Amino acid sequence: KVTDNSGLSATKSTTITVNPQVVIVPMHVADIAMSLTLNKNGQARANAGVKVVDNQGRLVPGATVTGRWSGLVSGTASGVTGSTGVVSFASGTTRNRGTFTFTVTGVTLNGYQYDATLNTESSDSISR
């Protein structure tokens, strides 16, 4: 209800809808653990375990991590973190000697925002 200086008034009704505030939580890569697997034929495969955490250091399950292999092998990879906040990637195999490198190119999950500037590491390598 509104009343002006002359005493005239008017009333109007309106509906106000209030939505809950959406909180976006920052997340980042806390670790990339590298290892090598050798098969009986002398071929090597690199493994990269990427750990994703939020800004409080809590594990982030269900995040889609994308990345790329370079060095001895090349290619892209995508996977989802499990209950431990870790997703594992395996490279292609090779008999050559040199370095396998895995680089995270992105992390996505609804309600979270990937902040690569917080990464402990964005890329890791292992040599054979």
Side-chain angles (χ1 to χ4, degrees):
K1 182 176 180 179
V2 177
T3 305
D4 68 11
N5 292 340
S6 303
L8 299 172
S9 64
T11 303
K12 179 163 179 151
S13 297
T14 189
T15 302
I16 298 173
T17 304
V18 179
N19 293 320
Q21 181 181 359
V22 177
V23 177
I24 303 295
V25 179
M27 64 178 168
H28 63 278
V29 175
D31 186 40
I32 302 174
M34 301 290 290
S35 64
L36 279 178
T37 303
L38 299 174
N39 68 20
K40 295 177 187 177
N41 299 326
Q43 294 180 322
R45 173 186 311 270
N47 306 290
V50 178
K51 182 178 184 179
V52 178
V53 298
D54 68 12
N55 61 331
Q56 300 296 314
R58 294 178 296 237
L59 304 173
V60 178
T64 299
V65 178
T66 55
R68 72 175 183 278
W69 288 101
S70 59
L72 284 174
V73 296
S74 63
T76 59
S78 179
V80 177
T81 57
S83 61
T84 61
V86 176
V87 58
S88 297
F89 298 100
S91 74
T93 59
T94 182
R95 291 176 193 255
N96 296 333
R97 294 196 170 273
T99 302
F100 295 89
T101 300
F102 187 78
T103 303
V104 174
T105 56
V107 183
T108 59
L109 180 61
N110 285 339
Y112 290 81
Q113 182 174 359
Y114 176 51
D115 187 349
T117 65
L118 299 175
N119 286 356
T120 303
E121 60 183 335
S122 296
S123 182
D124 203 351
S125 300
I126 193 165
S127 295
R128 162 182 191 187

